[in-house]
Amino acid sequence: MPPTPPPSWPIPKFVLQVDDLSHEGAKLFFSNIQPYDDFETTVLSSFTTLYTLETVPRKVEEIKLFLRPMQGVAHTCGSDTHKEIHFSLDWIKKNAHRARDEIMGVLTHEVVHCFQYDAKGTCPGGLIEGIADFVRLHASLAPPHWHRTAPTPTQSWDAGYEKTAYFLDWINTTYGPETIRILNLRFHNHKYHRRLFRQLTGRPLRKLWALYRGSFATGTGKAVVTPDPPAESESEDEGYDRIDHRALALLAHRNQAPVSASGTVAAAKRINGQSGKEPGEKADAVVRAFKGL
């Protein structure tokens, strides 16, 4: 009996609709983007940052991209199996000077929404958007106006978008390179509660935010010791510094060097057979791609 072939990434069908081919934004899109190849790259960025071959969602059958004149930037909607991304041609035109990077960055963000979990509809909107920009950040597609700067005194951890993305990136760097991946997976079967952060890091969310803010005092990104802010309730500190040991096992650092975002996507494409490797070589590629993650 032949061996079972290794799993591959579930790349959905891509459909593209352009409302106005004469629009300058449409011309910029087609002069800077290879629709299928680049769309696949954005999907693989989401997969390799938030999932493994074993945990990746496999329900999405089709993603349809609408390019049309509209206000705003982009939004995503649809059913569990069929997703729609609506992208503003006017926004593309406005960013003509960096059209490719902006298109890829926005598409990467929106594609995350096609696959990410939302804690059964209870996840804070700022965290949803922060995870999407966390993936964009890890794909090296941060736009020029993003800056890793100290939060303002009134800023909340779930302010959303890049503000939350940089906080999540700090957590991932400080507590293990799979922390945000596991957090997203927890949202599959659990409703949101701030205790999930404590289960993964050993610290309550308010302490994580205080340490993140304090990290800017050193100029190195490393946390300085700061007093704990007042607890919102006595129960919030129950189990303080008790780490979920199943998560800890997954978060343990391994001896291999981590794989870069671009290298991981390239490896994922090879896993899906685009390099013409034999099945045994593909299996080896799976192992190599995820060492250090």
Side-chain angles (χ1 to χ4, degrees):
M1 183 176 180
T4 302
S8 60
W9 295 109
I11 303 298
K13 177 183 178 182
F14 300 134
V15 179
L16 175 62
Q17 178 175 317
V18 185
D19 282 9
D20 182 1
L21 283 171
S22 68
H23 195 290
E24 186 62 28
K27 296 176 183 178
L28 285 166
F29 181 89
F30 287 108
S31 63
N32 286 276
I33 297 295
Q34 295 292 324
Y36 181 86
D37 291 343
D38 287 332
F39 215 158
E40 182 187 52
T41 295
T42 66
V43 170
L44 291 174
S45 291
S46 181
F47 285 173
T48 56
T49 304
L50 296 178
Y51 307 99
T52 67
L53 286 165
E54 290 71 31
T55 63
V56 65
R58 296 179 178 270
K59 289 184 178 180
V60 178
E61 299 173 5
E62 177 183 290
I63 300 177
K64 187 171 185 178
L65 174 62
F66 292 85
L67 299 176
R68 59 188 180 88
M70 67 179 196
Q71 294 182 338
V73 181
H75 64 266
T76 298
C77 57
S79 67
D80 287 345
T81 58
H82 290 71
K83 303 292 185 180
E84 294 182 2
I85 297 175
H86 295 252
F87 196 169
S88 170
L89 289 173
D90 300 316
W91 182 260
I92 295 174
K93 178 182 177 181
K94 183 179 179 180
N95 289 272
H97 60 291
R98 53 179 308 274
R100 176 173 172 79
D101 285 347
E102 183 63 14
I103 292 169
M104 290 296 290
V106 171
L107 286 179
T108 296
H109 176 106
E110 296 301 327
V111 163
V112 173
H113 292 326
C114 294
F115 297 99
Q116 76 183 127
Y117 296 120
D118 66 354
K120 300 182 180 295
T122 66
C123 191
L127 181 52
I128 290 285
E129 299 298 340
I131 290 175
D133 270 353
F134 169 80
V135 174
R136 181 175 180 174
L137 181 65
H138 276 246
S140 300
L141 290 169
H145 67 272
W146 285 17
H147 300 287
R148 193 186 299 266
T149 56
T152 64
T154 59
Q155 184 177 313
S156 171
W157 72 270
D158 60 349
Y161 298 101
E162 79 274 12
K163 302 297 185 184
T164 298
Y166 281 122
F167 175 49
L168 297 177
D169 185 58
W170 175 84
I171 291 176
N172 223 50
T173 300
T174 306
Y175 294 96
E178 293 188 4
T179 309
I180 304 307
R181 174 184 290 179
I182 297 172
L183 180 67
N184 175 66
L185 291 175
R186 290 290 180 90
F187 291 157
H188 184 200
N189 294 314
H190 296 80
K191 290 186 176 181
Y192 173 79
H193 195 285
R194 62 179 180 269
R195 74 167 64 94
L196 289 172
F197 285 90
R198 187 177 63 212
Q199 290 172 353
L200 293 177
T201 68
R203 294 189 181 278
L205 182 54
R206 62 185 180 81
K207 179 62 175 179
L208 292 172
W209 183 241
L211 290 171
Y212 173 65
R213 293 170 64 90
S215 71
F216 290 93
T218 66
T220 64
K222 296 181 179 179
V224 295
V225 177
T226 57
D228 285 3
E232 295 179 10
S233 66
E234 291 183 5
S235 62
E236 184 180 359
D237 280 342
E238 184 180 354
Y240 186 87
D241 282 340
R242 294 178 187 172
I243 297 178
D244 183 321
H245 290 285
R246 289 176 301 172
L248 183 61
L250 290 170
L251 294 172
H253 288 281
R254 300 165 191 172
N255 294 328
Q256 293 83 2
V259 180
S260 67
S262 59
T264 304
V265 170
K269 288 188 175 182
R270 290 198 298 273
I271 290 168
N272 269 24
Q274 295 183 8
S275 63
K277 292 182 180 293
E278 295 300 319
E281 292 177 281
K282 292 179 187 177
D284 290 338
V286 173
V287 175
R288 289 196 300 273
F290 293 100
K291 281 184 177 180
L293 289 181

